[in-house]
Amino acid sequence: MLKPKSIEGIIAFILIIVCVVAARFIGSEILVLAVFIITLGIYAWRKYDSRMLVGAAIFLLVVCAALLASGSEHYANDVAIRAYYFLVVGVLGLFIEYLGGEGHEIELRKRVYLIFYFALSIAVLGILLKSGYILSLDMIFGPSPKPDFYGLHGPPVHGGGIWLYALIQLSSLVAPTWVIQKLFLLLIFFISGVSAHSLIETKSSVPRYFAGILYMINPFIYVRFLAGHWGILFAYSITPFAIKYFLKFLNYPSRRNALKVLIPLAFISVNAHVLALNLLALFVIFCFKAAELRLKIKKVIPRLALLALAFLAINAYWLIPLATTEETLVQQITERDLFVFAPRGEGFSVPYSLATMYGFWRGGYTYTKDIFPAWHLFFIIILFLSIHGFLSNYKNRKAQSFVAIGIISFLLAMSVLGPFSQLFENVSILRGFRDSQKFVGLLVLAYAYLGALGVNSLLSHFKRNNKKILSISIIAIALVTPIAYNFTQFGFWGQLQPTDYPADWYQANEILNADNQDFNVLFLPWHLYMDFRFVPNRDKRIANPAEVFFDKPVIQGYNLEVPGIYTQSTNPGQMYIQSILSSGEISGENLRLLNVKYIMLAKEVDWAWYRDALERSDLELIFDSENLMIYKNPVQVSRFYEADELPPEALEPLDYKIVSPVEYEVTGDNEKCTIFVPPNLDSSDWVLDGKEAPAGFYAAWEDRGGRVRYSQFRTYEFSYIISLLSPAAIVGVYLLVRGYPKRKKFWAFTRDWLREGF
């Protein structure tokens, strides 16, 4: 006779079989997702081991790899989807178990909100969870992600996201990149809801749900998703955690609480804009709490200084290269940029549009307000709850600070159209925002926090007076209002559709990969943004995805092409190619100094003009399909040449060895000059045996061959070492000061931190 534990184990295994069978025979993807969610709920309820779900995912990934190796791509794709579902529910199940810790069983009802936000996240993404990439304006994923570890494309002005892209690249080795993309997008919505939920400290759970739903479903996150700003949204989702732990740190400035602040800030630093917003919010909170702290302030400030030092050390990998560079993209931003990217009124005044969490600079998207005339009513409810929340807690320093955060972010969001226009024109940090509607992210947080206080105040009042009907009404309003205010976020109203790249793109990639030479591919048309026919979205304009799709190095246009601004790129190679295209004189010889062996032309937008120019050249057409044409350069190309004089008239290829992407060894003639085509098409910071080269898109030295290095990488190398050693040093000092017995593991602290957050 089977023991109860054995029966439970069999049931857990049967549930996995049910999921697989459902995925095989149920036609609706939504119903399949529902089966997986129900399975997760049963696992959490019955406390089954969620490692079984993760094990199922790993097993299916192995099957997927075997199918790919055998050439069964269609079946491999289906198996990868199921592995993705199992991985999601399995990780979430482990997460719930982990929060409980050893000897602390969690009742399902205490953590049900985790399942709620996870289910809501799935409902928001809806059909977008189907197989295929989600491609939008700036959200470009492909099978060949290429993180810039070496700083070849300039300083990291957008933040420290290199580790995130490295994680995507590493994950793409075991799962399709579109699966990794869906996991990140799912996490964005899930963490947004959970983090805002955990920020609210009320006895009733209703205010927490109001804050979580509003922070997760609103016009700001909606339009940023449509515009593909997933990096901004990833950092945005973690922001409430940073604020929560900072508030706790101010009340109890221990090293332990300082560490809890450091962790979310380290994740938020993937985006410099959202990091700046967080620092602004933390500064405002500190100013309001300083008066309340009084005598404690002497203890807080030294700990705060140590926290700042630790943060700088962990983020050295991008802060040092950014601080030591001579020129960044911010210097290219002018007053014209500020007006081009200024917030829009969306049919109303700019202040009202921003106050309602709209105002994104780019039009063409369908919002709830466009199809639901009564949308103003739901905004009035949100505004009323926020105002009431402050008025009922006006003596509370936290409430005061969130009001200040909301007002400051609202005024700054107006940019050059508001009272702080001079600041945006003269202060580089503010000018770096350019698209000032990002400040609305803090306004959403203020609405969520203050609105939750308003809900709590009303509920408390009605319960004290035993008014059950009004209490139920407030609960319904609190839960329904955020969803009704932005219901188009569910499935994004059909404006986005998952897709794969055309088959001939994969075929073209195979053709390029068959050539083992070290060369560049020039991708045309020469636009950063353009409409691609294969994109099934309502708005087909996306950033050129060639770099993340093709395995070989691709040269593509970085020309912004917005009103009054053609390009802000200062790269010499970009300028040289633009001059060639402007003259219409495309030839194998004038592409030689770019090491361009193949020219790829996508049959999109103004491609006919480029085709005509290429047909007049000496380039050879070797591939022509529905979406692409490939031309081959008949002239022999190389990354290194030797020449009799400078500037070079005749070029002879040189033999060389690739030590790394930033270091080469080349052998040349003692009496000839060495010519080098840098991977970034910019001779700056490239040295031959310590000697610099004249500025240009290629490097030239009046010397024979030697060792060519990218000297700027030393800065990155030094920064990486600091950032990698800092966490170990911080943890070591923390444990040393705390005097932890060896038997206590640091993971216990991590578990406690997560339990407090979730």
Side-chain angles (χ1 to χ4, degrees):
M1 185 174 179
L2 291 174
K3 296 181 179 180
K5 286 188 177 181
S6 300
I7 295 174
E8 294 289 335
I10 293 172
I11 294 174
F13 182 74
I14 290 174
L15 287 171
I16 293 176
I17 301 299
V18 169
C19 289
V20 174
V21 173
R24 175 67 179 85
F25 294 103
I26 296 178
S28 171
E29 203 70 26
I30 300 298
L31 291 178
V32 172
L33 283 171
V35 172
F36 276 83
I37 294 170
I38 292 171
T39 298
L40 173 62
I42 296 173
Y43 264 70
W45 171 46
R46 301 299 301 172
K47 298 180 178 61
Y48 294 153
D49 191 346
S50 297
R51 288 177 296 181
M52 294 183 67
L53 299 173
V54 177
I58 295 173
F59 173 76
L60 290 179
L61 285 174
V62 173
V63 173
C64 177
L67 290 171
L68 285 172
S70 64
S72 304
E73 294 184 6
H74 175 72
Y75 293 110
N77 189 55
D78 288 341
V79 172
I81 296 172
R82 309 313 162 202
Y84 159 61
Y85 289 169
F86 273 120
L87 187 62
V88 170
V89 296
V91 169
L92 187 56
L94 288 172
F95 189 64
I96 294 172
E97 293 174 14
Y98 180 72
L99 294 179
E102 295 178 7
H104 295 85
E105 292 189 356
I106 302 177
E107 295 180 19
L108 181 59
R109 57 185 174 82
K110 291 183 179 179
R111 301 297 178 187
V112 70
Y113 72 95
L114 294 174
I115 297 177
F116 170 80
Y117 287 113
F118 182 70
L120 190 58
S121 300
I122 290 176
V124 165
L125 287 174
I127 195 173
L128 297 182
L129 288 172
K130 292 178 64 177
S131 63
Y133 299 95
I134 302 174
L135 304 176
S136 59
L137 188 68
D138 286 318
M139 184 161 54
I140 303 303
F141 278 73
S144 183
K146 302 180 184 71
D148 182 19
F149 296 106
Y150 304 97
L152 291 171
H153 298 296
V157 292
H158 297 295
I162 185 66
W163 67 266
L164 192 57
Y165 291 101
L167 180 61
I168 292 172
Q169 184 186 45
L170 185 64
S171 301
S172 67
L173 299 176
V174 296
T177 313
W178 65 262
V179 171
I180 311 304
Q181 181 194 25
K182 302 294 174 65
L183 285 172
F184 273 111
L185 298 181
L186 199 62
L187 276 176
I188 285 171
F189 291 109
F190 174 70
I191 296 175
S192 294
V194 170
S195 61
H197 185 106
S198 70
L199 179 63
I200 310 302
E201 297 175 342
T202 58
K203 291 183 179 180
S204 171
S205 62
V206 176
R208 299 176 185 177
Y209 279 105
F210 171 83
I213 297 171
L214 179 59
Y215 196 70
M216 176 181 173
I217 300 175
N218 59 74
F220 174 80
I221 198 172
Y222 172 72
V223 74
R224 291 291 168 176
F225 190 93
L226 287 172
H229 298 165
W230 69 279
I232 290 176
L233 294 181
F234 180 76
Y236 161 92
S237 70
I238 304 170
T239 295
F241 278 141
I243 292 177
K244 172 183 177 174
Y245 290 117
F246 185 71
L247 286 166
K248 187 173 182 180
F249 168 77
L250 292 179
N251 290 324
Y252 307 99
S254 65
R255 299 178 186 87
R256 185 183 184 89
N257 286 337
L259 204 56
K260 290 177 181 178
V261 178
L262 186 61
I263 294 172
L265 282 179
F267 283 99
I268 288 169
S269 64
V270 299
N271 185 269
H273 293 123
V274 182
L275 176 62
L277 295 180
N278 272 263
L279 296 179
L280 171 63
L282 298 185
F283 176 74
V284 171
I285 291 171
F286 176 77
C287 290
F288 275 88
K289 291 286 287 184
E292 183 182 300
L293 293 171
R294 295 180 184 176
L295 296 177
K296 270 188 179 180
I297 197 73
K298 293 181 180 180
K299 187 177 181 181
V300 169
I301 290 179
R303 296 285 172 84
L304 199 57
L306 289 174
L307 173 62
L309 184 63
F311 174 80
L312 292 174
I314 288 176
N315 287 276
Y317 69 97
W318 68 278
L319 289 176
I320 291 178
L322 185 61
T324 56
T325 190
E326 295 180 1
E327 185 177 6
T328 67
L329 181 62
V330 176
Q331 278 78 42
Q332 305 300 318
I333 298 175
T334 64
E335 186 179 354
R336 182 178 293 276
D337 292 77
L338 297 178
F339 279 99
V340 169
F341 294 96
R344 292 163 54 101
E346 300 289 347
F348 305 94
S349 67
V350 170
Y352 182 73
S353 184
L354 291 171
T356 57
M357 297 171 275
Y358 289 100
F360 186 59
W361 71 273
R362 188 172 185 265
Y365 302 117
T366 300
Y367 299 95
T368 298
K369 69 180 181 60
D370 298 323
I371 57 179
F372 185 47
W375 69 276
H376 299 277
L377 174 62
F378 291 101
F379 170 68
I380 291 171
I381 294 173
I382 294 171
L383 187 61
F384 166 76
L385 291 173
S386 300
I387 295 174
H388 180 71
F390 169 66
L391 294 178
S392 59
N393 297 269
Y394 69 95
K395 293 183 180 180
N396 185 290
R397 293 292 184 182
K398 287 194 287 187
Q400 293 171 2
S401 62
F402 274 95
V403 167
I405 289 170
I407 293 173
I408 293 171
S409 60
F410 168 69
L411 294 174
L412 290 175
M414 285 190 276
S415 182
V416 290
L417 306 179
F420 297 136
S421 59
Q422 292 297 318
L423 287 177
F424 275 88
E425 293 173 7
N426 299 303
V427 179
S428 59
I429 293 178
L430 289 176
R431 193 171 65 249
F433 272 86
R434 188 166 65 177
D435 164 19
S436 62
Q437 200 254 359
K438 298 184 184 81
F439 283 97
V440 172
L442 284 183
L443 181 60
V444 174
L445 181 62
Y447 283 148
Y449 184 85
L450 296 171
L453 295 184
V455 172
N456 187 61
S457 176
L458 291 172
L459 276 177
S460 299
H461 174 75
F462 293 142
K463 285 182 178 179
R464 281 196 306 268
N465 293 280
N466 200 27
K467 297 180 179 180
K468 293 184 178 180
I469 295 178
L470 290 176
S471 296
I472 294 172
S473 299
I474 288 298
I475 293 173
I477 289 172
L479 299 180
V480 170
T481 295
I483 294 175
Y485 185 58
N486 199 55
F487 62 80
T488 51
Q489 188 167 324
F490 290 88
F492 292 87
W493 213 244
Q495 296 176 84
L496 298 176
Q497 297 289 335
T499 187
D500 196 2
Y501 290 89
D504 50 359
W505 278 55
Y506 289 96
Q507 188 177 355
N509 193 43
E510 291 176 1
I511 293 173
L512 297 176
N513 288 339
D515 191 329
N516 295 322
Q517 185 181 340
D518 175 25
F519 58 83
N520 293 326
V521 178
L522 176 61
F523 191 94
L524 302 172
W526 190 248
H527 306 291
L528 175 57
Y529 295 97
M530 57 181 145
D531 295 348
F532 285 87
R533 289 174 296 144
F534 70 85
V535 174
N537 304 341
R538 193 176 304 171
D539 180 5
K540 297 182 177 297
R541 183 153 302 178
I542 62 172
N544 190 343
E547 281 186 334
V548 297
F549 181 86
F550 296 103
D551 297 322
K552 295 293 185 179
V554 173
I555 303 173
Q556 62 186 53
Y558 292 142
N559 37 335
L560 199 57
E561 296 180 272
V562 295
I565 306 171
Y566 177 75
T567 185
Q568 290 179 321
S569 173
T570 58
N571 181 271
Q574 292 277 312
M575 298 177 183
Y576 176 68
I577 294 172
Q578 181 59 44
S579 67
I580 292 175
L581 296 176
S582 298
S583 67
E585 298 297 326
I586 305 175
S587 68
E589 193 62 42
N590 59 25
L591 293 177
R592 196 179 187 192
L593 272 175
L594 297 168
N595 191 25
V596 171
K597 188 171 184 178
Y598 296 94
I599 299 88
M600 189 175 298
L601 175 62
K603 296 180 179 179
E604 311 288 353
V605 291
D606 54 349
W607 71 278
W609 183 90
Y610 293 91
R611 179 199 58 194
D612 294 342
L614 291 169
E615 287 182 351
R616 293 193 301 269
S617 70
D618 58 342
L619 303 173
E620 176 189 356
L621 177 65
I622 63 169
F623 179 76
D624 189 359
S625 65
E626 180 183 357
N627 296 287
L628 290 173
M629 301 174 73
I630 299 179
Y631 292 83
K632 186 176 180 179
N633 191 347
V635 180
Q636 189 176 9
V637 300
S638 175
R639 189 164 298 282
F640 283 91
Y641 302 97
E642 61 180 4
D644 293 322
E645 57 184 354
L646 293 176
E649 294 295 331
L651 300 172
E652 299 178 23
L654 283 174
D655 293 329
Y656 62 94
K657 176 184 177 183
I658 302 175
V659 179
S660 76
V662 290
E663 186 173 351
Y664 301 84
E665 292 180 357
V666 59
T667 304
D669 193 315
N670 290 333
E671 299 179 356
K672 293 187 177 183
C673 303
T674 300
I675 312 296
F676 168 59
V677 183
N680 57 345
L681 302 182
D682 187 349
S683 65
S684 302
D685 300 313
W686 287 95
V687 296
L688 173 63
D689 292 336
K691 296 180 181 179
E692 296 182 354
F697 66 90
Y698 64 88
W701 297 276
E702 293 181 343
D703 294 88
R704 61 185 179 85
R707 187 175 289 268
V708 175
R709 291 175 176 166
Y710 183 56
S711 60
Q712 187 63 20
F713 180 61
R714 293 179 180 175
T715 303
Y716 286 84
E717 201 170 24
F718 174 70
S719 305
Y720 290 154
I721 292 172
I722 294 177
S723 291
L724 289 172
L725 294 179
S726 295
I730 292 169
V731 171
V733 171
Y734 172 82
L735 295 178
L736 182 65
V737 173
R738 287 279 299 181
Y740 260 40
K742 291 183 178 180
R743 67 177 179 273
K744 288 193 175 182
K745 297 181 180 180
F746 186 69
W747 293 115
F749 161 77
T750 308
R751 185 185 65 232
D752 292 342
W753 175 74
L754 287 170
R755 289 183 68 188
E756 290 178 25
F758 288 86

